């Protein structure tokens, strides 16, 4: 297969900084779309994968799965897109397309789903590389359309932070009469508040400190509960239909379970790993409450989200950076020193 060499940013080891690399992209096949990347969001998953925090990284790795760009070229069989179209690519670039999950538009649960980076590229027989790069080539079925009224840089985090919170909101049928709580005000949390508010829910933020009250209300939260205040937590018992837990590190879920109403569900979307302390099952059993997990969304659901964001003029709150600042951005992410998502202007790599 013919390939072309392009510039990218990635790393060759868990303890090495990201730096400029040369990688290969395939020439377009009949169903492919080649995209000039304009912006790429920076996700906590990028950092974890670059540093092999999950023990699965194969190097070299080029992160980035919140991609917004312009179509450069299309294959002869591509029907939906043409040169010059503004498009997006999220966390998935392929799947088996035949399993039950794929047939139900839930490609994210396909046993053979291919991540935008760190997956297996069947065309080149190597790892997939992500959006910290000049261009990307993706099968038409995994390319998304962008509403014309939205800021391009602000759209990028919707492809991960947005869909990660949208999918559970939709699965648990959040709407006008729903009572939704969000744990954690970061990249995921601020999108959860915006989306739940736009769906018409009553939205509450759980926060450990009072310094996020004004920010949360500006994003659309109706109420803030200080989780370190016992009296406030006690007053919240039995109130919520769903809690979206966006905290990306190990923490205690038990205090929040009591605030669920009967049949309520706490959905973990931000943390991968063991819990300590363990869950106490008494409130689960006594109230038929649930603790669940959720992983991004399928292609149809992600397009639904983008269309919803276009209708309600929703984008992520971002700080735009140059590609060369990515290592400093990673360190700032670890300190939660961003409101609320970094987005790379890819002109900085190309120049």
């Amino acid at each position: 297969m013919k390939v072309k060499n392009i510039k990218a940013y990635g790393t060759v080891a868990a303890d090495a900084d990201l730096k400029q690399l040369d990688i290969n992209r395939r020439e377009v096949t009949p169903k492919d779309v080649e995209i000039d990347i304009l912006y790429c969001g920076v996700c906590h998953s990028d950092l974890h994968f670059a540093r092999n925090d999950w023990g699965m990284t194969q190097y070299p790795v080029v992160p980035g799965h919140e991609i917004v760009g312009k179509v450069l070229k299309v294959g002869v069989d591509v029907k939906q897109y043409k040169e010059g179209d503004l498009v997006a690519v999220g966390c998935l670039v392929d799947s088996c397309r035949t399993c039950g999950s794929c047939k139900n538009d839930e490609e994210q649960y396909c046993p053979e789903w291919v991540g935008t980076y760190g997956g297996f590229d069947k065309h080149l027989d190597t790892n997939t590389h992500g959006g910290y790069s000049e261009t990307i080539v993706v099968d038409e079925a995994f390319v998304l359309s962008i509403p014309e009224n939205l800021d391009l840089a602000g759209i990028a985090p919707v492809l991960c932070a947005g869909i990660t919170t949208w999918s559970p909101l939709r699965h648990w049928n959040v709407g006008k009469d729903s009572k939704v709580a969000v744990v954690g005000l970061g990249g995921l949390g601020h999108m959860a508040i915006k989306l739940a508010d736009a769906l018409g829910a009553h939205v509450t933020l759980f926060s450990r400190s009072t310094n996020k009250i004004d920010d949360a209300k500006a994003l659309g939260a109706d109420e803030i509960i200080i989780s370190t205040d016992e009296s406030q937590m006690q007053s919240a018992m039995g109130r919520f239909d769903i809690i979206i837990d966006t905290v990306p590190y190990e923490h205690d879920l038990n205090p929040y379970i009591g605030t669920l109403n009967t049949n309520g569900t706490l959905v973990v979307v931000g943390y991968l790993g063991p819990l300590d302390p363990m869950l106490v099952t008494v409130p689960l059993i006594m109230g038929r409450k649930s603790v669940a997990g959720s992983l991004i969304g399928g292609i149809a659901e992600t397009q639904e989200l983008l269309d919803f964001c276009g209708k309600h003029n929703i984008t992520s709150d971002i700080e735009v950076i140059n590609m060369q600042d990515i290592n400093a951005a990673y360190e700032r992410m670890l300190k939660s020193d961003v409101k609320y998502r970094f987005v790379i202007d890819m002109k900085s790599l190309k120049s």
Side-chain angles (χ1 to χ4, degrees), residues 164-197:
T164 297
T165 51
W166 176 256
S167 189
L169 290 172
R170 295 293 286 152
H171 180 76
W172 276 274
N173 300 312
V174 167
K176 185 176 180 180
D177 296 324
S178 301
K179 293 180 174 60
V180 176
V182 177
V183 185
L185 185 58
L188 296 176
H190 94 287
M191 288 302 304
I193 291 173
K194 288 188 176 190
L195 295 172
D197 176 58

Side-chain angles (χ1 to χ4, degrees), residues 27 45-46 52 64 68 82 92 103 110 120 125 185-186 191 216 221 241 254 293 322-323 329 335 342-343 346 348:
E27 293 284 359
S45 299
D46 298 349
N52 199 26
V68 172
K82 64 183 184 303
L92 299 170
K103 289 180 179 179
C110 170
F120 178 71
D125 196 26
L185 185 58
M191 288 302 304
D241 302 309
N254 290 294
N322 290 331
M323 186 72 261
K335 301 174 184 176
F342 288 116
V343 173
M346 299 309 297
S348 58

Side-chain angles (χ1 to χ4, degrees), residues 92-231:
L92 299 170
V93 293
D94 206 355
S95 68
C96 81
R97 313 192 198 194
T98 60
C99 69
S101 292
C102 288
K103 289 180 179 179
N104 288 326
D105 293 324
E106 293 183 325
E107 297 93 345
Q108 74 272 32
Y109 300 120
C110 170
E112 299 178 24
W113 72 274
V114 180
T116 306
Y117 61 84
F120 178 71
D121 187 329
K122 65 184 180 184
H123 299 278
L124 300 181
D125 196 26
T126 186
N127 296 331
T128 54
H129 292 304
Y132 295 7
S133 54
E134 294 180 285
T135 63
I136 191 168
V137 179
V138 181
D139 187 291
E140 176 187 27
F142 290 82
V143 178
L144 299 149
S145 300
I146 297 176
E148 294 181 356
N149 60 304
L150 298 180
D151 172 69
L152 292 181
I155 294 172
V158 173
L159 280 304
C160 180
I163 189 59
T164 297
T165 51
W166 176 256
S167 189
L169 290 172
R170 295 293 286 152
H171 180 76
W172 276 274
N173 300 312
V174 167
K176 185 176 180 180
D177 296 324
S178 301
K179 293 180 174 60
V180 176
V182 177
V183 185
L185 185 58
L188 296 176
H190 94 287
M191 288 302 304
I193 291 173
K194 288 188 176 190
L195 295 172
D197 176 58
L199 285 166
H202 183 279
V203 186
T204 299
L205 173 71
F206 283 113
S207 177
R208 293 178 57 84
S209 63
T210 59
N211 61 10
K212 295 184 179 179
I213 291 176
D214 291 342
D215 289 343
K217 288 185 175 180
L219 292 166
D222 299 287
E223 183 182 3
I224 291 84
I225 294 174
I226 305 304
S227 59
T228 54
D229 186 316
E230 291 186 12
S231 63

Side-chain angles (χ1 to χ4, degrees), residues 318-330:
I318 63 170
E319 179 179 335
V320 178
I321 62 171
N322 290 331
M323 186 72 261
Q324 295 79 8
D325 298 325
I326 188 62
N327 294 301
Y330 277 9

Side-chain angles (χ1 to χ4, degrees), residues 129 265 272 312:
H129 292 304
T265 303
L272 291 174
H312 294 273

Side-chain angles (χ1 to χ4, degrees), residues 36-52:
D36 177 27
I37 300 175
L38 303 176
Y39 296 98
C40 186
V42 180
C43 177
H44 263 279
S45 299
D46 298 349
L47 184 155
H48 292 310
F49 212 86
R51 299 184 176 182
N52 199 26

